[in-house]
C-alpha cells in the first residue's frame, strides 16, 4: 500500500525566510504532484514532477524529485504572506488510478 | 487543462437523506475520480469511475453508501446516501490530463445536521 508522509505538518515562518517541505513515499512511482489549497477552496496544481531529478520552479517555489530516495521537496525562497496556505504532495498510484495524498503542510507566513 | 464544473458548491442536509453531486468536464476523459476531504484533513480517494463500467471503490467505501454514475465521457455523479454527521466533508471530483496531471473541481462542501 502506498503511503505518503509529509513534514512538517505545520509551519509558521517570517517573511523573507527560506524553508523546505519534505514528501516521502513508500513505493515506486513516476509521478509526484504538489498542490496548494487556500481555506474553503479547492486544490490548485503547482507542480507535476515526472522523472528522477526533475526540478521545477515557479516564482518563489521550487519543487524537486528524487525517485531513488522516494523524496520530493518544495522549497520556499524569501517567503511572502501571500504564500500562506496548505500545501499537499500527492503520488500517482500507477496507471490512471488516482492519487494518494500526504497529510498536508499548513503554512503561515507572518509579516 | 480540463475545466471541471461541480455542483452544488455547498449544501446543508438532514441526516438520513441523500445528496447527489454532479461533475461536468469540458472534454472527454476516460477516468473520473471522487475524493473526500474531512474537516482539517487530507484528501482520500473514494472511487474511480470509468464510463461503461461499474466504479471501483477504495477500501472503506462501498457502493451502497456512495453510488456513482458515469453515463458518458464528460459527466459523473456521486451520491452520498443515508447521511450522518460523519459524512460532513468536502467532496471533490478530479480528472487526469496526460500533460497537466490531475485537476480538481471546485468541491462540494456538505454539512449534515
Amino acid at each position: 500500500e502506498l503511503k505518503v508522509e509529509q513534514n512538517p505538518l505545520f509551519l509558521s515562518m517570517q517573511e523573507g525566510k527560506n524553508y523546505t517541505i519534505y514528501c516521502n513515499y513508500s513505493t515506486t512511482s513516476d509521478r509526484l504532484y504538489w498542490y496548494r489549497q487556500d481555506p474553503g477552496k479547492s486544490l490548485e496544481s503547482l507542480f507535476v514532477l515526472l522523472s528522477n531529478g526533475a526540478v521545477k520552479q515557479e516564482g518563489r517555489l521550487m519543487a524537486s524529485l528524487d525517485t531513488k530516495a522516494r523524496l520530493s521537496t518544495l522549497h520556499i525562497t524569501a517567503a511572502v504572506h501571500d504564500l500562506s496556505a496548505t500545501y499537499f504532495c500527492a503520488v500517482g498510484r500507477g496507471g490512471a488510478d488516482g492519487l494518494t495524498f500526504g497529510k498536508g503542510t499548513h503554512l503561515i507566513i507572518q509579516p | 487543462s480540463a475545466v471541471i464544473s461541480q455542483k452544488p458548491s455547498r449544501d446543508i442536509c438532514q441526516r438520513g437523506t441523500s445528496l447527489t453531486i454532479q461533475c461536468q468536464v469540458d472534454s472527454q476523459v476516460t477516468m473520473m475520480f471522487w475524493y473526500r476531504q474531512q474537516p482539517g484533513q487530507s484528501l482520500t480517494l473514494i472511487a474511480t469511475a470509468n464510463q461503461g463500467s461499474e466504479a471501483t471503490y477504495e477500501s472503506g467505501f462501498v457502493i451502497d453508501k456512495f453510488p456513482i454514475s458515469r453515463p458518458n465521457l464528460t459527466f459523473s455523479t456521486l451520491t452520498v446516501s443515508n447521511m450522518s454527521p460523519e459524512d460532513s466533508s468536502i467532496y471533490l471530483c478530479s480528472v487526469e490530463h496526460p500533460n497537466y496531471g490531475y485537476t480538481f473541481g471546485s468541491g462540494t462542501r456538505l454539512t449534515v445536521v
Side-chain angles (χ1 to χ4, degrees):
Chain A
E1 179 188 352
L2 174 61
K3 294 187 186 300
V4 181
E5 290 189 2
Q6 196 173 330
N7 67 84
L9 300 182
F10 181 82
L11 177 58
S12 178
M13 55 192 295
Q14 289 186 319
E15 282 190 322
K17 300 292 186 181
N18 305 331
Y19 210 83
T20 301
I21 300 170
Y22 297 88
C23 178
N24 289 91
Y25 53 98
S26 61
T27 62
T28 301
S29 175
D30 58 357
R31 291 173 293 163
L32 192 293
Y33 304 83
W34 285 96
Y35 292 91
R36 168 180 172 151
Q37 187 178 40
D38 292 297
K41 304 292 186 181
S42 186
L43 275 72
E44 173 191 354
S45 178
L46 295 175
F47 300 107
V48 181
L49 303 171
L50 299 177
S51 61
N52 186 43
V55 177
K56 292 192 174 181
Q57 183 164 3
E58 182 71 33
R60 301 175 186 274
L61 301 178
M62 183 175 70
S64 66
L65 177 62
D66 181 343
T67 58
K68 294 180 180 178
R70 298 175 186 163
L71 170 68
S72 180
T73 61
L74 179 66
H75 186 74
I76 304 159
T77 301
V80 293
H81 178 68
D82 287 352
L83 291 179
S84 298
T86 299
Y87 292 85
F88 291 97
C89 66
V91 179
R93 290 146 45 99
D97 289 344
L99 298 174
T100 298
F101 280 79
K103 290 187 176 181
T105 297
H106 183 51
L107 174 63
I108 296 176
I109 300 171
Q110 301 183 18
Chain B
S1 60
V3 176
I4 304 173
S5 301
Q6 189 175 336
K7 59 182 180 182
S9 59
R10 59 178 63 229
D11 208 341
I12 301 173
C13 300
Q14 297 290 324
R15 66 179 68 198
T17 63
S18 299
L19 175 71
T20 296
I21 302 167
Q22 299 180 7
C23 184
Q24 178 77 51
V25 189
D26 68 345
S27 58
Q28 293 185 340
V29 293
T30 303
M31 310 290 271
M32 296 180 74
F33 304 89
W34 288 97
Y35 291 83
R36 180 177 73 182
Q37 186 176 26
Q38 295 178 300
Q41 303 296 315
S42 185
L43 281 77
T44 301
L45 181 64
I46 297 171
T48 301
N50 191 359
Q51 194 268 337
S53 62
E54 281 199 2
T56 301
Y57 289 83
E58 297 299 306
S59 175
F61 298 96
V62 295
I63 188 172
D64 290 346
K65 177 67 175 178
F66 297 101
I68 288 172
S69 77
R70 184 78 201 276
N72 57 54
L73 291 174
T74 64
F75 187 79
S76 179
T77 67
L78 169 76
T79 299
V80 186
S81 302
N82 188 24
M83 289 184 285
S84 67
E86 291 72 32
D87 294 319
S88 298
S89 297
I90 300 173
Y91 293 86
L92 300 105
C93 66
S94 174
V95 302
E96 184 190 22
H97 186 283
N99 297 328
Y100 301 107
Y102 291 85
T103 56
F104 288 81
S106 54
T108 296
R109 182 181 294 273
L110 171 62
T111 302
V112 183
V113 297

